[in-house]
Amino acid sequence: DRLFGQYDFGDMIGQHMRQQCAVPELLIQDGVWSTRLAKPMYDTLKSLCLNRHRERGFTETILLPAFQVLQYEATTVDEKFKVEHELDPKTTPSYATNYVILNTIRLMERHVGLGIELGLYPNWYDLSTALWYRDFLLSALINVRGSIERERMQRREMDLRIKLEEEEEERKAKTQLLQQSKKKGKTKKTKKSSKLLASPSPTTSALTAESAVKTTEEDFEDRLDYTSLLLHRNLCRGLVRYIAALRQAELLCDPPASITMFTTHQKRFEKRFEAFSTLYQPPSLSYEDYVRGSDFSSVQSKDLLSSSTDCFRSGKGIVDWLLNVVVVESCDGSTIDKTDKRKDDDLYISIRREEIMALAKVCVTNSLFLHKLASAKAGQKNASTSVAVEFKAHKQYCTISIT
C-alpha cells in the first residue's frame, strides 16, 4: 500500500484521478477502488525501469491483460456510484472507466512507439502501418482528454455558481438580522453597519470568478501534456501522408512478394497488433480499417503534399511554443511563474527541451524535402530517384530524405 515504504500509493492514485479525469471526491473516499488500482498502476511505473525490449514484452503479457480486467471492473464501480448517489446515468460521466481507458490508451501508444524505436517496423510499408495506428491512438487520447477537460470546466462553473449563491444567502441573512435589531431600537452605529453589510461588495464576485478561472500549476502541466500529444499526432499524420505522396510519385518500391509467400498482409497486421485485440476500449482496428484509412488514391498529389506540409508546419508551431515555456535549466527558478513556464529539469513536465529540439529537426527536415518533392512534381527540378528513411534526429519519428 506504500510506495518505497513511505508514501501512501492509494492517496497518490486518488490525486492522479482527480487531476487527470476530474474524479469526484465521493468516489475516491471509499478507498476500495484506489486500492484495486494500486497493483496495476505500480506495475506501469515498474515497467519504466526496464530496458525497451523487456518493457514492451512486460506491457504485452502483464499490463494490457490487467487493464482489460480493470475496464470491466471500472464499469461496475461507475454503475454502483451512480445508483448509490442517485445520479442520472445519461448525464453523469463514467469517471472510473474514463480513468482506466485513459491509461490503457497511453500504454498502447507507448507500446507502438517502442516498436518503432526497436526497429520492428524496418521498411516504409511496415512503418506506415505503425504510424497510422499510433495516429489513431493519439487522436483517441486527445478526444478523451478533451471531454474530461470540458467536464472539469463545467464542474468549476457549477462550484462557482454554488459558492456565489451561498455568499448571497449569507449576506441576506445578515441583513435581515440587522434589520430586526434596528426595529428593536439599535443605535445609529448599528444602522450604519447594517447599510454596509446590506450592500454587496463590488469586488467579491470578481475575486471569486478570478480565483475560479485562474490557471494552477496542475492545469499548466495538463496543458503541456495535451500540447505534446497534439505535436506527436501531427508528426504521425504528416509522415503517413508523406509516405503516401512518395508512393504516388512512384519513388518507393512495392513490398516484395516474398513477405507474403507464407502469409498475407492481413495476417501480418493482425500479428503486429495482436496485444490490443482483447481490449474492450478502445476497439482494436482491423486490416480493412487500415486499408480504408491509408487509401489516398482519390486525393490529388498536390493536395496530399500540401496536407502533409501543413502537418509539419503545425508541428513546428507547437515546437516553438514548447521551447518558449520549457526554459533552460540555467534560468533563475525564483523568477519563473510555474503556471506559465517550467524549467527543463522540472520533475512534473511531460517533455524535455532535448526531445523538443529533436522533434523540431524532424519537422524542419521533412518540410524541406516535401518542398523539394513538390518542386520536382511541378517540373521545376529534375525528378529525384532515391529515398532514404532515417532515425538520426529522433528514435521514433523518421526523416525521409530525397536525393
Side-chain angles (χ1 to χ4, degrees):
D1 293 338
R2 291 188 175 273
L3 193 62
F4 301 122
Q6 183 178 0
Y7 304 103
D8 189 337
F9 196 47
D11 183 59
M12 295 173 67
I13 292 174
Q15 294 178 13
H16 192 247
M17 285 193 289
R18 281 191 293 269
Q19 180 179 352
Q20 293 291 312
C21 295
V23 178
E25 192 67 32
L26 289 173
L27 183 58
I28 301 173
Q29 282 177 349
D30 185 14
V32 177
W33 178 235
S34 299
T35 304
R36 174 64 184 90
L37 287 170
K39 181 63 167 64
M41 295 303 294
Y42 177 76
D43 286 340
T44 61
L45 298 178
K46 185 170 68 175
S47 68
L48 300 176
C49 300
L50 306 174
N51 62 46
R52 296 293 186 258
H53 292 275
R54 294 183 64 189
E55 180 185 351
R56 198 169 188 274
F58 189 82
T59 301
E60 288 184 357
T61 57
I62 304 296
L63 294 180
L64 290 178
F67 275 84
Q68 175 196 0
V69 177
L70 279 178
Q71 288 188 8
Y72 290 103
E73 294 182 3
T75 304
T76 305
V77 170
D78 285 323
E79 291 176 354
K80 180 181 177 182
F81 177 73
K82 293 173 185 177
V83 171
E84 285 182 353
H85 299 280
E86 299 179 354
L87 301 174
D88 186 1
K90 295 181 180 179
T91 59
T92 305
S94 300
Y95 297 106
T97 302
N98 287 342
Y99 182 73
V100 174
I101 291 176
L102 186 71
N103 286 280
T104 303
I105 299 175
R106 285 190 179 278
L107 284 174
M108 297 169 68
E109 189 271 331
R110 182 169 176 81
H111 184 269
V112 177
L114 288 176
I116 298 174
E117 184 175 342
L118 293 172
L120 301 182
Y121 309 97
N123 303 300
W124 69 262
Y125 39 87
D126 298 319
L127 185 60
S128 176
T129 305
L131 290 170
W132 175 84
Y133 210 119
R134 195 178 189 184
D135 179 13
F136 162 75
L137 294 174
L138 288 166
S139 298
L141 191 56
I142 289 169
N143 290 336
V144 173
R145 288 292 302 273
S147 62
I148 291 172
E149 187 60 28
R150 287 191 293 272
E151 164 64 20
R152 192 199 310 274
M153 294 304 297
Q154 291 174 0
R155 184 179 299 178
R156 282 186 180 180
E157 292 175 0
M158 185 181 298
D159 292 342
L160 174 61
R161 195 183 308 114
I162 293 173
K163 187 174 182 179
L164 291 175
E165 290 176 355
E166 290 177 350
E167 290 177 354
E168 184 66 24
E169 290 177 0
E170 183 179 354
R171 191 161 44 244
K172 288 180 179 179
K174 289 182 178 179
T175 303
Q176 290 176 357
L177 287 174
L178 289 170
Q179 286 177 349
Q180 291 175 1
S181 301
K182 173 182 162 184
K183 291 179 180 178
K184 292 178 181 179
K186 293 291 182 180
T187 61
K188 292 182 180 180
K189 184 178 179 180
T190 307
K191 292 180 182 179
K192 291 182 180 179
S193 63
S194 172
K195 290 181 181 180
L196 290 172
L197 286 171
S199 58
S201 173
T203 59
T204 302
S205 299
L207 289 173
T208 309
E210 182 182 355
S211 63
V213 299
K214 184 179 179 181
T215 303
T216 63
E217 294 183 14
E218 291 78 10
D219 291 336
F220 178 77
E221 292 165 10
D222 291 340
R223 183 186 177 190
L224 194 62
D225 181 48
Y226 186 84
T227 306
S228 64
L229 292 176
L230 292 175
L231 173 58
H232 287 288
R233 185 180 67 174
N234 283 337
L235 289 173
C236 289
R237 192 164 294 180
L239 285 170
V240 169
R241 296 176 184 182
Y242 188 5
I243 292 173
L246 292 170
R247 285 283 292 154
Q248 283 192 356
E250 299 181 352
L251 295 177
L252 294 175
C253 300
D254 293 332
S258 59
I259 66 172
T260 57
M261 186 176 296
F262 301 104
T263 184
T264 62
H265 290 295
Q266 180 175 352
K267 288 293 183 182
R268 295 176 80 246
F269 182 92
E270 292 173 353
K271 190 64 179 176
R272 288 188 183 280
F273 306 107
E274 185 179 21
F276 304 155
S277 59
T278 58
L279 295 171
Y280 176 66
Q281 288 290 342
S284 60
L285 301 179
S286 65
Y287 180 71
E288 289 75 16
D289 295 327
Y290 166 69
V291 171
R292 288 192 298 268
S294 60
D295 183 15
F296 296 97
S297 57
S298 60
V299 182
Q300 294 184 1
S301 178
K302 180 181 178 181
D303 296 334
L304 191 56
L305 288 169
S306 176
S307 177
S308 181
T309 302
D310 289 341
C311 289
F312 290 118
R313 185 183 296 115
S314 176
K316 182 59 170 63
I318 296 175
V319 163
D320 293 338
W321 182 84
L322 290 173
L323 289 174
N324 186 47
V325 299
V326 181
V327 297
V328 294
E329 299 176 11
S330 58
C331 291
D332 185 6
S334 60
T335 61
I336 295 177
D337 181 5
K338 288 193 173 183
T339 63
D340 184 54
K341 290 186 179 182
R342 290 296 176 90
K343 292 179 66 175
D344 189 39
D345 59 350
D346 194 299
L347 295 175
Y348 301 103
I349 58 175
S350 56
I351 191 168
R352 307 288 175 184
R353 284 186 66 89
E354 182 180 1
E355 184 177 5
I356 298 171
M357 293 299 296
L359 295 175
K361 292 179 182 178
V362 175
C363 292
V364 173
T365 304
N366 286 323
S367 296
L368 291 174
F369 283 106
L370 273 167
H371 177 71
K372 184 176 181 178
L373 179 60
S375 301
K377 292 287 291 182
Q380 299 176 7
K381 296 182 181 180
N382 295 329
S384 302
T385 57
S386 177
V387 175
V389 179
E390 299 176 334
F391 286 90
K392 294 180 180 179
H394 195 276
K395 295 179 179 180
Q396 296 185 7
Y397 295 101
C398 63
T399 56
I400 305 177
S401 57
I402 304 171
T403 55

